[in-house]
Amino acid sequence: MTKLGRVRRVCTGIIVIVYAVILLTEDPDIGMQIVAAIMSLTFTLRGIQTLIYYFTMARSMVGGKFSLLRGLLLLDLGAFTSSLTYGQTIYVVLYVAVIHLFAGAVDFFRASETRKMKSPGWRTRILFGVTNVFLALVLIAGGFVMHSLLTVIYIYAGGLIYAGIVRIVTAFRRTSIVYIQ
């Protein structure tokens, strides 16, 4: 990673942590609007980025149409999330819960692959997967059963803080270069 890439990663991590702290200090209704706005912006920008990738490179690649469909889906999710109004926080709860469930499933699959290769890191992957599934269940229970917006906001802000810290840590991690002999 270049020095500019490291600086960009650290700045992005700090901005994400600041957003999380702002989210934690706000009123729950305003916090839910902030969560919806951040998710809408994230989905929209990621959709645009994926569509640009499709039109510049992935069109002529194997599986390139998947990139087109993914970009369109993310763009639609971003537009739908931006149209949410005050009373429809159920969708934001569902989005955050599905994101955590998906991340947990990916961690489980990665852990099974690394275990087959006899790598020592599979236990931490399982731990991350269990944590993500647990957070999704707490989100569903807190959002639907207890109707608590604070639970949703705290979990989302905790995820943002975690993502910011991981970005900062990976910026200072040494990258290994594999030389072919």
Side-chain angles (χ1 to χ4, degrees):
M1 183 182 306
T2 63
K3 290 181 182 179
L4 179 65
R6 291 181 196 275
V7 169
R8 193 173 22 191
R9 266 203 182 286
V10 168
C11 290
T12 306
I14 290 171
I15 290 170
V16 167
I17 291 172
V18 167
Y19 278 139
V21 170
I22 291 171
L23 187 63
L24 288 173
T25 58
E26 290 294 327
D27 182 44
D29 291 328
I30 296 172
M32 192 56 84
Q33 290 176 349
I34 292 172
V35 169
I38 290 172
M39 290 180 72
S40 171
L41 185 67
T42 304
F43 283 142
T44 304
L45 291 177
R46 191 68 170 166
I48 291 170
Q49 178 188 14
T50 307
L51 287 176
I52 289 172
Y53 173 70
Y54 170 75
F55 287 119
T56 56
M57 290 183 64
R59 237 185 337 188
S60 58
M61 294 170 53
V62 175
K65 294 218 189 278
F66 177 73
S67 179
L68 173 68
L69 295 175
R70 182 176 169 214
L72 289 174
L73 178 71
L74 288 172
L75 200 59
D76 286 342
L77 282 174
F80 178 70
T81 307
S82 68
S83 69
L84 293 178
T85 57
Y86 284 102
Q88 300 175 342
T89 58
I90 187 170
Y91 296 115
V92 177
V93 173
L94 279 175
Y95 280 166
V96 176
V98 166
I99 287 170
H100 279 290
L101 279 175
F102 183 73
V106 167
D107 285 335
F108 283 134
F109 288 130
R110 283 185 181 171
S112 68
E113 286 179 10
T114 54
R115 186 175 182 196
K116 287 177 187 175
M117 289 191 270
K118 299 183 184 205
S119 178
W122 68 273
R123 288 183 183 94
T124 57
R125 285 280 175 208
I126 288 285
L127 181 66
F128 288 149
V130 167
T131 304
N132 276 323
V133 170
F134 175 73
L135 288 176
L137 294 176
V138 169
L139 272 170
I140 291 170
F144 295 130
V145 178
M146 298 184 320
H147 302 288
S148 171
L149 294 179
L150 284 176
T151 305
V152 177
I153 290 171
Y154 287 156
I155 290 175
Y156 187 72
L160 285 178
I161 290 171
Y162 173 73
I165 290 171
V166 166
R167 279 189 174 272
I168 292 171
V169 167
T170 56
F172 293 115
R173 183 177 295 161
R174 299 196 82 156
T175 55
S176 59
I177 300 173
V178 178
Y179 294 103
I180 300 174
Q181 295 180 351

